């Protein structure tokens, strides 16, 4: 029996376990990436684990998230990241060099390799044929130290692309169409593999737009074959030597096959407040727009920016719209500066934003109260833009420019009806200048790691107590994202200072949560979070586990939970429990006093847990499915404690 692409790459990297959907396996990681918002914690943990050098083929530390904001905190973080990278053998991409996923694709991605990144959009690398997975910083720290990455062997969903995209319909519409089919939850055990006759119509950056937003499907990752298009992209990057062909065997099998005929697709948008809330643009036509933003790791490639420039050329942005353009990498910014496209964008009246995450993470360009914002980014969770009352729509660059010019949401096919669709080909040669990527020191003993006052110690946890004796400190609903748990935006600068950042846990859900939780902790009362479906959707930020751990949260009881967040909870010693009977969710309220008896022994023996409510003795059965490795982590109070125990460290 032949193999699909996923099986080929995974099986070639297995270090423990055996292929077969659902089996616990460990894989070797060839490359890692971190970004600054998750990176400081990752390197602090790398240090705490006692490693002295990275053992991967390549590890890169990017600074792209916290590039603005007042105060010294970000700059402290950047200096720590630069010096820690120099010491331990990591490349350091300076702020201004671009967004991690785009730069990685351009300069380092290699077909057939594995990449683990401390950011949920790491699957962007699937566009160049990598198995690229997002994880918490601690998992990345372990991989940098040469450890395996542990996961459940995936189901493989094939998405067969046929036909050809019509003018004005582009890669973003393909992934929005798939989001319409698969939704944003229930896909955590799968990897999407693209195939079909239309694949060779798509350039690597277009493929990367599609795999990038696979993160919103909640899948482990997504991957494209590596073919002539991949070779020409690598050649244009001066890296033809990194090319390797990658295709599924003719008799490969899949767990599910979905066919999308590209010629039938029309332009779409994800409506507020979920990337899965997809509608055709023609149904939204006429909605007044205040802001349009082109950028983010999803749609800020050479093709996207050149297309934006071609459509803006000779025109002016509507007086009622603020258009912002954030180019995804310095390579593309330099190219469009030299070829004149940037001048067309400026002349049309756009604001040129920094080549960084910026508006996407909500730390700049927050729209006005009640604004409608059309963005090419990948997430429109409630409040993420920095303005809770804003309505954010996610769409293609074509649609964002149509909105900027007309002041309304419009289907680009109809709005640009009298114009020829610009065809933007990958150039033969990109401008190659890696001078903003600093090499590690040849003599690590000479490097002093600089730790400003914003750099705290990673907090420690106690071992799992035998009885979890506590209360439901908060009860939240369905689809609680990591943005709800741990807001980014203006709070982002505290990422390296857990004590301070923990003040903002569930800030928007209940601003009293942090204080109440800390009071409970001081009195020896354990905190328990109760949640509905898909708890922890969205980002890989492990702060959504570390800060609750710091506040004394011992267990999350949810109807269902997302993959990366569940792994982060385990890494920090918080029990990820599910209701055996989903209807029990309704029976619990915030403030209920609950005891989970004999938790330690039961987890150790693999027995089910029960939570008992003190007031009336109501007993609720919990499902806690843990691999042996996860059990050890929970019992030890997290991965760092477990590693210290096994290394005999104090
Ligand atoms: C995001 O898009 O939400 C982020 C910010 O890039 C996060 C990482 C983080 O929380 O720092 C992600 O996607 O993992
Ligand atoms: Fe940055 Fe936004 Fe991409 Fe996250 S999704 S890496 S914040 S550009």
């Amino acid at each position: 029996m032949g193999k699909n692409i996923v099986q080929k790459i995974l099986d070639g990297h297995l270090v423990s376990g055996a292929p077969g959907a659902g089996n616990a396996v460990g894989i070797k990681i060839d490359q890692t990436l971190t970004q600054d918002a998750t990176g400081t914690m990752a390197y602090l943990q790398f240090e705490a684990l006692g490693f002295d050098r990275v053992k991967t083929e390549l590890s890169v530390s990017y600074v792209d998230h916290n590039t603005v904001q007042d105060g010294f905190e970000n700059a402290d973080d950047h200096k720590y990241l630069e010096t820690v990278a120099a010491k331990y053998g990591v490349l350091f991409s300076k702020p201004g060099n671009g967004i991690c996923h785009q730069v990685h694709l351009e300069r380092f991605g290699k077909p057939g390799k594995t990449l683990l990144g401390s950011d949920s959009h790491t699957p962007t690398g699937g566009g160049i044929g990598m198995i690229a997975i997002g994880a918490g910083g601690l998992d990345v720290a372990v991989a940098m130290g040469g450890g395996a990455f542990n996961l459940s062997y995936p189901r493989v969903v094939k998405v067969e692309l046929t036909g050809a995209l019509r003018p004005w319909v582009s890669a973003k519409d393909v992934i929005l169409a798939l989001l319409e089919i698969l939704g944003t939850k229930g896909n955590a055990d799968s990897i999407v593999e693209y195939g079909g006759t239309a694949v060779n119509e798509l350039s690597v950056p277009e493929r990367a737009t599609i795999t990038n937003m696979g993160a919103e499907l909640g899948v482990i990752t997504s991957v494209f074959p590596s073919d002539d298009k991949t070779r020409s992209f690598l050649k244009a990057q001066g890296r033809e030597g990194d090319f390797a062909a990658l295709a599924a065997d003719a008799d490969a099998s899949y767990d599910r096959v979905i066919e999308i005929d590209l010629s039938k697709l029309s332009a779409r948008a994800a409506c507020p407040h979920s990337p899965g809330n997809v509608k055709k643009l023609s149904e939204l036509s006429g909605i007044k727009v205040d802001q349009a933003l082109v950028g983010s790791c999803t749609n800020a490639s050479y093709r996207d920016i050149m297309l934006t420039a071609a459509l803006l050329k000779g025109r002016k942005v509507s007086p009622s719209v603020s258009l912002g353009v954030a180019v995804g990498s310095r390579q593309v910014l330099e190219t469009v500066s030299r070829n004149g496209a940037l001048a067309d964008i400026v002349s049309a009246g756009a604001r040129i934003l920094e080549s960084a995450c910026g508006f996407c993470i909500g730390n700049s360009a927050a729209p006005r109260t009640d604004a409608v914002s059309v963005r090419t980014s990948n997430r429109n969770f409630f409040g993420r833009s920095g303005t809770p009352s804003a309505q954010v729509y996610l769409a293609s660059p074509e649609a964002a420019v149509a909105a900027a010019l007309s002041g309304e949401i419009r289907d680009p096919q109809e709005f640009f009806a009298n114009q020829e669709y610009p065809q933007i080909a990958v150039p033969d040669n990109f401008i190659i200048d890696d001078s903003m990527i600093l090499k590690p020191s040849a003599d690590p003993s000479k490097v002093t790691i600089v730790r400003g006052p914003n750099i705290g110690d990673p907090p420690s946890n106690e071992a799992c107590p035998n009885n979890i004796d506590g209360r439901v400190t908060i009860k939240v609903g369905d689809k609680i994202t990591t943005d709800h748990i741990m807001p980014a935006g203006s709070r982002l600068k505290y990422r390296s200072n857990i004590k301070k950042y923990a003040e903002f846990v569930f800030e928007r859900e209940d601003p009293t949560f942090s204080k109440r939780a800390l009071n409970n902790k001081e009195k020896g009362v354990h905190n328990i979070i109760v949640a509905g479906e898909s708890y922890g959707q969205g980002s890989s930020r492990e702060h959504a586990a570390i800060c609750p751990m710091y506040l004394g949260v011992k267990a999350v009881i949810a109807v269902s939970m997302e993959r990366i967040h569940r792994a982060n909870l385990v890494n920090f010693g918080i029990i990820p429990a599910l209701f055996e009977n989903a209807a029990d969710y309704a029976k619990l309220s915030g403030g209920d006093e609950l005891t989970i008896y004999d938790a330690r022994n039961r987890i150790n023996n693999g027995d089910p847990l029960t939570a008992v409510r003190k007031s009336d003795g109501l007993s609720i059965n919990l499902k806690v499915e843990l691999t042996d490795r996860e059990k050890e982590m929970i019992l030890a109070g997290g991965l760092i404690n477990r590693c210290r125990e096994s290394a005999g460290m104090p």
Side-chain angles (χ1 to χ4, degrees):
M1 166 72 86
K3 285 187 177 182
N4 56 47
I5 296 174
V6 174
Q7 291 164 337
K8 285 187 184 183
I9 303 181
L10 285 183
D11 297 359
H13 285 81
L14 274 190
V15 291
S16 64
N23 292 349
V25 294
I27 56 168
K28 174 181 176 289
I29 295 299
D30 302 320
Q31 301 187 348
T32 62
L33 72 78
T34 56
Q35 38 89 339
D36 49 309
T38 54
T40 47
M41 232 3 99
Y43 296 103
L44 285 165
Q45 286 155 348
F46 180 87
E47 293 184 279
L49 289 165
F51 297 123
D52 56 4
R53 200 75 185 158
V54 291
K55 300 206 172 62
T56 48
E57 290 171 15
L58 173 93
S59 288
V60 191
S61 168
Y62 294 89
V63 177
D64 54 1
H65 279 62
N66 299 354
T67 52
V68 291
Q69 279 150 9
D70 54 4
F72 58 88
E73 293 89 347
N74 292 341
D76 276 8
D77 286 0
H78 301 170
K79 198 66 193 171
Y80 167 72
L81 290 168
E82 181 191 323
T83 49
V84 87
K87 192 163 188 85
Y88 295 116
V90 177
L91 294 177
F92 177 72
S93 172
K94 290 172 70 177
N97 196 44
I99 304 174
C100 57
H101 307 303
Q102 184 165 326
V103 178
H104 205 87
L105 192 77
E106 290 168 353
R107 304 305 305 137
F108 302 113
K110 281 192 193 177
K113 297 282 181 183
T114 54
L115 166 68
L116 193 71
S118 63
D119 189 282
S120 63
H121 290 101
T122 304
T124 313
I128 203 161
M130 305 187 87
I131 289 288
I133 303 179
L138 185 48
D139 283 331
V140 177
V142 168
M144 285 192 288
F149 177 65
N150 295 282
L151 75 162
S152 282
Y153 199 91
R155 294 171 73 243
V156 184
V157 176
K158 174 155 195 211
V159 175
E160 181 89 12
L161 302 176
T162 58
L165 287 169
R166 291 178 302 154
W168 309 105
V169 182
S170 61
K172 179 64 141 265
D173 300 304
V174 177
I175 185 63
L176 289 175
L178 189 59
L179 273 155
E180 226 174 310
I181 299 169
L182 286 177
T184 57
K185 58 187 174 71
N187 307 314
D189 56 355
S190 304
I191 293 185
V192 173
E193 178 176 318
Y194 289 89
T197 50
V199 163
N200 61 11
E201 302 290 321
L202 299 168
S203 66
V204 166
E206 288 171 309
R207 296 174 186 180
T209 293
I210 296 173
T211 57
N212 169 284
M213 255 188 111
E216 276 52 67
L217 298 167
V219 293
I220 300 171
T221 189
S222 310
V223 65
F224 270 86
S226 170
D227 54 13
D228 285 348
K229 281 270 155 66
T230 321
R231 187 196 286 273
S232 20
F233 178 79
L234 282 166
K235 187 159 176 255
Q237 291 289 351
R239 304 201 285 122
E240 200 179 356
D242 288 346
F243 176 73
L246 198 61
D249 292 332
D251 56 346
S253 67
Y254 295 89
D255 295 288
R256 181 177 172 188
V257 179
I258 296 171
E259 193 183 320
I260 302 184
D261 178 352
L262 300 190
S263 62
K264 300 225 168 79
L265 290 188
S266 49
R268 292 160 147 72
C271 303
H273 296 289
S274 167
N277 188 10
V278 178
K279 295 211 169 76
K280 296 206 173 73
L281 280 180
S282 53
E283 294 169 42
L284 305 168
S285 200
I287 296 177
K288 295 273 174 275
V289 171
D290 302 272
Q291 183 186 56
L293 295 169
V294 175
S296 90
C297 57
T298 320
N299 275 112
S301 66
Y302 172 81
R303 180 252 171 217
D304 295 326
I305 304 300
M306 288 300 289
L307 179 109
T308 300
L311 298 180
L312 288 175
K313 192 178 169 95
R315 295 187 164 114
K316 295 289 175 203
V317 170
S318 160
S320 57
V321 177
S322 175
L323 169 67
V325 177
V327 181
S329 69
R330 176 168 164 269
Q331 178 182 77
V332 174
L333 185 55
E334 186 173 347
T335 309
V336 298
S337 320
R338 292 190 185 283
N339 71 13
L342 189 63
D344 294 331
I345 297 175
V346 172
S347 159
R351 298 163 64 180
I352 305 303
L353 308 175
E354 202 181 2
S355 183
C357 297
F359 70 81
C360 175
I361 185 66
N363 67 9
S364 56
R368 74 165 175 87
T369 306
D370 298 339
V372 170
S373 177
V374 177
R375 304 173 165 215
T376 65
S377 46
N378 49 40
R379 287 187 173 147
N380 57 349
F381 300 144
F382 174 75
R384 179 174 166 105
S385 67
T387 307
S389 67
Q391 305 288 312
V392 177
Y393 293 79
L394 307 173
S396 65
E398 290 86 334
V401 177
L405 292 172
S406 67
E408 295 176 349
I409 296 187
R410 297 282 287 271
D411 184 332
Q413 204 160 27
E414 166 262 322
F415 181 73
F416 293 108
N418 298 324
Q419 178 172 344
E420 215 170 293
Y421 186 48
Q423 297 295 334
I424 316 286
V426 169
D428 290 340
N429 295 298
F430 286 102
I431 296 174
I432 293 159
D433 171 8
D434 290 331
S435 58
M436 282 181 79
I437 301 176
L438 308 186
K439 300 224 164 46
S441 167
D443 185 356
S445 66
K446 294 228 169 70
V447 181
T448 307
I449 298 174
V450 180
R451 295 170 210 271
N454 197 42
I455 309 294
D457 290 327
S460 54
N461 196 13
E462 60 191 5
C464 177
N466 199 30
N467 290 331
I468 309 282
D469 204 2
R471 65 177 53 197
V472 179
T473 320
I474 190 167
K475 179 179 176 184
V476 290
D478 290 342
K479 290 194 179 181
I480 289 293
T481 70
T482 48
D483 282 89
H484 291 102
I485 308 170
M486 230 26 282
S490 59
R491 307 302 186 202
L492 211 55
K493 66 180 183 182
Y494 300 120
R495 283 285 178 97
S496 313
N497 184 343
I498 298 301
K499 187 166 177 249
K500 180 74 189 167
Y501 200 29
E503 289 174 17
F504 307 110
V505 176
F506 285 121
E507 189 185 15
R508 285 198 208 104
E509 302 305 296
D510 176 355
T512 69
F513 174 81
S514 173
K515 271 218 173 84
R516 290 190 294 108
L518 214 50
N519 276 342
N520 287 343
K521 182 182 173 185
E522 276 154 17
K523 288 192 225 127
V525 175
H526 298 140
N527 294 299
I528 297 171
I529 296 170
V530 167
E533 275 187 64
S534 274
Y535 183 71
Q537 275 193 345
S539 99
S540 67
R541 67 189 68 150
E542 60 188 353
H543 294 81
I546 304 179
C547 292
M549 172 197 93
Y550 172 80
L551 296 175
V553 172
K554 295 292 175 203
V556 174
I557 308 178
V559 176
S560 65
M561 218 175 265
E562 289 307 302
R563 175 187 68 87
I564 303 182
H565 186 62
R566 181 190 171 282
N568 285 335
L569 290 175
V570 174
N571 278 349
F572 292 95
I574 298 177
I575 300 173
L578 299 182
F579 288 100
E580 194 175 281
N581 175 1
D584 284 343
Y585 166 78
K587 297 184 185 153
L588 290 179
S589 307
D592 281 357
E593 288 184 56
L594 289 187
T595 308
I596 306 176
Y597 289 104
D598 209 20
R600 205 182 157 82
N601 292 331
R602 287 174 166 271
I603 288 174
N604 201 12
N605 301 333
D607 294 335
L609 298 182
T610 308
V612 180
R613 180 157 64 192
K614 281 210 182 123
S615 58
D616 59 358
L618 170 78
S619 154
I620 290 188
N621 291 337
L622 308 176
K623 267 192 302 195
V624 187
E625 284 166 9
L626 299 168
T627 62
D628 289 343
R629 180 178 165 273
E630 289 174 335
K631 266 186 210 167
E632 288 172 20
M633 288 197 272
I634 291 283
L635 295 179
L639 176 58
I640 294 204
N641 289 0
R642 173 179 166 265
C643 292
R644 283 171 174 269
E645 275 171 14
S646 48
M649 283 159 80

